[in-house]
Amino acid sequence: AALVARFPMLEAFQNPMGLMQGGMVAAAVDNVVGPLSYLVAPPSVTAQLSMTYLAPVTPDLEYVEVEATRVARSGRQLVFDATVRAPDGAVLAMARSTNTIVRKG
């Protein structure tokens, strides 16, 4: 299972150097992994999110595209990988998210 979404490069997301702030890149990843997790399993929450930044998201990019895929499920644990790409397909960042399925109280 996979899910893809685009996020615009808005000035509000830029750091003082004019690049998309790393936390906003991570938020974009989390905003794709989260909905995908609901599509493939019971409700879950992000337990760990690991980001690897390979190239900056520069202000000349119109958007970034995030593709998340489910890698594994073991009991209440879900593992997802995500790739952040520029419009030309260049890989800008990679991520791994571990989610925990929430028990109903």
Side-chain angles (χ1 to χ4, degrees), residues 40-66:
V40 301
S44 67
V45 295
T46 304
Q48 183 176 18
L49 178 61
S50 174
M51 295 292 303
T52 301
Y53 300 96
L54 303 171
V57 179
T58 56
D60 60 307
L61 298 178
E62 183 181 349
Y63 62 86
V64 294
E65 185 172 275
V66 179

Side-chain angles (χ1 to χ4, degrees), residues 14-56:
Q14 294 177 359
N15 64 22
M17 295 181 292
L19 307 172
M20 185 180 275
Q21 199 270 339
M24 296 307 295
V25 177
V29 167
D30 201 36
N31 278 304
V32 178
V33 170
L36 177 59
S37 73
Y38 274 65
L39 292 171
V40 301
S44 67
V45 295
T46 304
Q48 183 176 18
L49 178 61
S50 174
M51 295 292 303
T52 301
Y53 300 96
L54 303 171

Side-chain angles (χ1 to χ4, degrees), residues 57-90:
V57 179
T58 56
D60 60 307
L61 298 178
E62 183 181 349
Y63 62 86
V64 294
E65 185 172 275
V66 179
E67 180 176 10
T69 58
R70 185 183 68 178
V71 175
R73 177 178 176 178
S74 178
R76 293 178 47 224
Q77 299 298 308
L78 302 164
V79 179
F80 299 90
D81 282 345
T83 304
V84 180
R85 290 187 177 87
D88 68 1

